[in-house]
Amino acid sequence: MQTVRPASPEQLAEALCAAAADRRSILLGGCFSKDRLGQVRQPPERLAEPRAAASGQACPADIAISTCVMNRLLRYDPRDLTIGVEAGMAWADLERILSERGQMLPLDPGWAVESTVGGVVAANLSGPRRRLYGTARDMIIGMTFATLEGKLVQSGGNVVKNVAGLDMAKLMIGSFGTLAAIAAVNFKVFPVPAESRTFVMDFETVAEAFAERDRILQSALQPAAIDIVNWPRGYRLLIRAAGSAKVVERYARELARARIEDDSVWEEVREFTARFLARNPEGGVVPMISKLSEMAALGEKLEVPFVARAGSGVIYAHYAENPPAPFEFGGDLAGDLGGDFAMMTKVKEMFDPERLLNRGRLYGHI
């Protein structure tokens, strides 16, 4: 399969337009490190392609377009806490640039070394600090994306107060490249807290771990991150405190029974999914969303490794093989998603009526 690597947003738009004019199906990405995310399915009645094995691969395409060469820093104003970069910049490079000025973008995506900025945004990845800082939708203040018509569309702005037109950019977040190609992104960034400390507690049952989670969240403490994992054994509750020295010391008093670990433990959590999938070629990860009050019951039913964003209501269940599709429980994707599926289908028709971009990448139907 031919691979095209545009060197600029203009070349990206031209490549998309040329492929669309020839009605060539397109595999769109950066470094393609997250090809097994997005609950990929290839139903023949929708895509006119053979249904693939549960490998997480999208439908075969005629041409691949990668943004990996588009890796420039476009603008950075540390005083205004804003930065703009091209979509192909490595996420690790973005983190390095910010850390040199004592700033951060706390999305904490997995595949940090392999990921590009566009890939993180397109997959809507967020990590342990999601509870305090939010997701990509909360950090993006502007975006440029290229359409199949060869147009470059600018949405939002370069400063935090200018959010006009941000809704267009929001459509791209979590779309897995099924609508258009992200060319550049403007973020608001955050200062690195003065102090950070990680507290860990071990429990024999999931109920005990979530009960302690409840106690912490109902207290005056407001952790930057609070996760529960059931590997390598038992159940670990991880709490990250961040802020002034006085704030962190209060956590130490309130969590006297917890042991203190190096903040590097969060790297282990952050990269767990990527390493799990690397070890299990037939495996998959299923995100399960629930109310905070129902997370313990959901966790008790899982007999596979999981990472629970215990303050956000999301559990990522890791299956070594044959992962269930979240929208196959009722057998009806449209029924499970309700009006959201109809809206997503209309948006897809608006941007990509020929269904050329990343076919089957999102739920296997979009």
Side-chain angles (χ1 to χ4, degrees):
M1 178 171 55
Q2 177 190 6
T3 299
V4 177
R5 298 179 178 85
S8 68
E10 291 76 15
Q11 290 184 15
L12 175 62
E14 291 172 3
L16 288 173
C17 185
D22 293 337
R23 302 188 69 179
R24 303 177 73 187
S25 57
I26 302 164
L27 180 64
L28 176 65
C31 292
F32 303 96
S33 59
K34 293 168 285 299
D35 278 354
R36 292 164 66 192
L37 294 183
Q39 297 306 318
V40 179
R41 292 293 186 272
Q42 294 82 24
E45 70 275 13
R46 282 300 184 95
L47 302 173
E49 295 282 355
R51 187 177 180 91
S55 62
Q57 297 298 315
C59 287
D62 298 321
I63 185 173
I65 298 179
S66 169
T67 61
C68 65
V69 178
M70 297 166 45
N71 55 14
R72 294 179 300 164
L73 172 65
L74 301 176
R75 63 189 68 84
Y76 181 24
D77 191 334
R79 291 178 298 179
D80 283 345
L81 298 175
T82 60
I83 191 168
V85 300
E86 287 186 329
M89 174 177 283
W91 188 265
D93 289 342
L94 174 58
E95 290 186 322
R96 175 185 52 78
I97 291 169
L98 293 172
S99 67
E100 291 173 353
R101 303 299 295 265
Q103 295 178 344
M104 63 180 184
L105 195 55
L107 282 177
D108 305 325
W111 296 272
V113 175
E114 300 94 343
S115 286
T116 60
V117 170
V120 170
V121 173
N124 195 23
L125 294 185
S126 59
R129 290 182 286 183
R130 167 179 175 166
R131 178 180 181 273
L132 183 62
Y133 293 98
T135 65
R137 286 181 171 86
D138 303 295
M139 302 179 196
I140 291 176
I141 58 175
M143 182 186 295
T144 300
F145 57 88
T147 71
L148 289 171
E149 295 177 339
K151 298 178 180 179
L152 284 175
V153 180
Q154 292 185 338
S155 175
N158 301 323
V159 295
V160 174
K161 64 181 180 180
N162 181 8
V163 294
L166 185 59
D167 284 350
M168 287 292 285
K170 286 183 177 179
L171 290 174
M172 304 301 136
I173 301 171
S175 67
F176 284 89
T178 58
L179 301 178
I182 298 172
V185 187
N186 300 328
F187 296 96
K188 67 175 181 179
V189 301
F190 301 83
V192 174
E195 299 283 344
S196 177
R197 193 174 302 175
T198 296
F199 302 87
V200 180
M201 301 184 197
D202 297 308
F203 299 92
E204 293 186 3
T205 69
V206 66
E208 292 173 330
F210 277 98
E212 180 63 18
R213 184 277 316 258
D214 292 340
R215 187 192 72 80
I216 293 171
L217 293 184
Q218 291 166 8
S219 72
L221 302 179
Q222 294 297 316
I226 181 165
D227 280 6
I228 294 174
V229 301
N230 64 342
W231 43 267
R233 56 188 171 276
Y235 298 89
R236 283 188 294 165
L237 173 63
L238 302 97
I239 306 104
R240 185 169 190 171
S244 66
K246 289 184 177 180
V247 168
V248 172
E249 287 305 320
R250 177 170 185 177
Y251 277 84
R253 294 193 301 271
E254 296 283 343
L255 304 176
R257 60 167 292 190
R259 68 180 182 277
I260 297 174
E261 291 196 9
D262 189 84
D263 281 351
S264 61
V265 70
W266 294 105
E267 182 67 18
E268 176 189 9
V269 174
R270 172 175 174 166
E271 293 297 331
F272 179 79
T273 296
R275 292 167 181 167
F276 179 89
L277 292 176
R279 293 193 304 269
N280 299 280
E282 298 300 318
V285 181
V286 178
M288 302 178 178
I289 302 173
S290 74
K291 298 178 181 177
L292 295 185
S293 60
E294 298 173 353
M295 292 187 76
L298 180 57
E300 285 181 340
K301 297 177 182 178
L302 293 174
E303 297 180 352
V304 296
F306 67 72
V307 175
R309 299 274 105 90
S312 303
V314 184
I315 296 180
Y316 297 93
H318 295 65
Y319 293 84
E321 58 183 4
N322 300 322
F327 301 112
E328 287 183 356
F329 295 132
D332 180 7
L333 176 67
D336 286 325
L337 284 177
D340 290 343
F341 179 67
M343 180 59 69
M344 284 189 285
T345 301
K346 290 181 180 179
V347 173
K348 175 67 171 178
E349 290 292 331
M350 180 175 68
F351 279 92
D352 182 14
E354 299 290 333
R355 294 181 174 266
L356 299 177
L357 272 174
N358 281 2
R359 294 187 295 169
R361 193 66 185 83
L362 189 59
Y363 308 134
H365 292 255
I366 297 176

